[in-house]
Amino acid sequence: MRKTILITGASSGLGEEMARQFAARGHDLALCARRTDRLEALAAELRAARPGQRVQVRALDVNDDDAVFEVFGAFRVDFGTIDRVVVNAGLGKGAPLGTGRYDANRQTAMTNFVAALAQTEAAMEIFRDQGEGHLVMVSSMSAMRGMPKAGTAYAATKAGVAHLAEGLRAELHGSPIRVSVIYPGYIRSEMNEKVKSAPFMVSTETGVRAMVEAIEKEKASAHVPPWPWVPLGAALRHLPLPLARKLMG
Ligand SMILES: NC(=O)c1ccc[n+]([C@@H]2O[C@H](COP(=O)([O-])OP(=O)(O)OC[C@H]3O[C@@H](n4cnc5c(N)ncnc54)[C@H](OP(=O)(O)O)[C@@H]3O)[C@@H](O)[C@H]2O)c1
């Protein structure tokens, strides 16, 4: 069992619910995000439900490179080993390219890709030193194909994240360090709370259950939930553009 799991972006949405579901499966947790009040409340809830279970929280802005390495290192000192790292912190800002919102697209690129790279470096330093570990990258179904309009920069970051995982998996093939990339479809969270309805949107609990199952099985890659995202993923990747555009909304 991967006893200790470090999750970034654990203060809301998928990260918070992953913490709940991993805790219910008996894992110890290292949780970080910027909103420490929310992390403290979550930790109190988890410790009350299972006294004896170890839950540590730390403030982390993943855009602060030095802090990423410091916080991951401090969690390793707390627990002795970090068995799994879930690179989850992310942002859904964006605007069509060339419409004066470089600030929003840059912020998404820095948080979702550059900061994910920092988290991956910090995790891999720990795993290489330990000789084992499980790296989990949270990508998105939008990584299947370049997306139009407000989704263009976001989708590019998520494709980048998936390629970091795939490159590492190629390098580490046959080693005790495992790498998974998770492609969520629409799962209710703070990121999409203002979206009234999106196609095939599932509740946070349902979507995260599919994520946690795939992660525990250490699948190389997983579209979650599998229905309808496995066939839709294939369609998005392979349909001619005029047809694929109809799926992109
Ligand atoms: N929900 C979906 O439908 C969906 C689909 C595909 C992929 N995803 C991906 O799933 C991941 C989680 O998103 P979510 O849907 O759960 O959204 P969310 O509810 O908005 O959660 C985002 C989390 O990321 C953290 N975060 C954002 N910027 C950060 C920063 N600079 N430093 C540290 N933490 C930061 C937030 O914590 P603080 O604000 O407290 O720092 C929060 O805990 C993201 O990578 C997202 O792209 C989501």
Side-chain angles (χ1 to χ4, degrees):
M1 182 195 188
R2 306 278 185 192
K3 182 70 179 164
T4 302
I5 305 179
L6 189 163
I7 304 173
T8 66
S11 61
S12 69
L14 311 188
E16 178 182 12
E17 181 61 19
M18 275 192 275
R20 286 205 179 87
Q21 294 193 19
F22 281 130
R25 289 169 177 251
H27 294 276
D28 289 338
L29 295 169
L31 306 176
C32 50
R34 291 166 301 181
R35 289 171 294 175
T36 47
D37 52 334
R38 299 189 52 143
L39 292 178
E40 294 290 359
L42 175 62
E45 173 198 318
L46 299 178
R47 291 186 196 116
R50 286 172 204 81
Q53 194 157 29
R54 294 193 64 193
V55 183
Q56 298 276 96
V57 305
R58 281 199 158 76
L60 177 63
D61 181 341
V62 292
N63 290 310
D64 180 343
D65 286 353
D66 292 343
V68 170
F69 290 87
E70 280 161 24
V71 165
F72 280 34
F75 276 136
R76 187 184 178 195
V77 171
D78 290 340
F79 288 95
T81 56
I82 300 292
D83 302 305
R84 175 180 290 151
V85 173
V86 185
V87 178
N88 169 71
L91 201 66
K93 274 193 185 172
L97 301 190
T99 61
R101 289 304 314 279
Y102 173 57
D103 60 324
N105 289 324
R106 184 181 188 282
Q107 205 181 334
T108 291
M110 295 306 285
T111 304
N112 290 8
F113 183 71
V114 177
L117 175 62
Q119 292 163 72
T120 305
E121 294 265 9
M124 285 304 304
E125 278 185 11
I126 293 172
F127 293 160
R128 287 188 202 277
D129 190 55
Q130 290 176 172
E132 63 179 346
H134 181 203
L135 177 71
V136 180
M137 307 290 278
V138 179
S139 176
S140 162
M141 284 301 301
S142 67
M144 295 296 131
R145 186 115 178 210
M147 291 287 146
K149 301 178 190 169
T152 302
Y154 177 84
T157 67
K158 290 300 180 178
V161 160
H163 268 232
L164 288 182
E166 286 171 16
L168 276 170
R169 193 177 321 110
E171 176 186 332
L172 299 166
H173 185 69
S175 106
I177 301 175
R178 306 291 295 270
V179 183
S180 299
V181 54
I182 305 296
Y183 298 96
Y186 292 114
I187 300 173
R188 191 54 86 184
S189 75
E190 267 185 23
M191 191 177 282
N192 52 42
E193 65 189 354
K194 292 198 182 106
V195 177
K196 283 217 168 53
S197 71
F200 311 111
M201 176 85 81
V202 294
S203 70
T204 317
E205 198 185 326
T206 300
V208 170
R209 191 173 311 116
M211 291 177 76
V212 164
E213 276 168 18
I215 292 169
E216 291 280 50
K217 287 182 184 147
E218 304 195 0
K219 289 192 170 179
S221 74
H223 299 47
V224 290
W227 174 258
W229 297 106
V230 170
L232 275 180
L236 274 171
R237 267 195 204 278
H238 301 296
L239 280 176
L241 187 57
L243 292 174
R245 280 189 60 175
K246 291 194 191 335
L247 293 178
M248 293 172 184

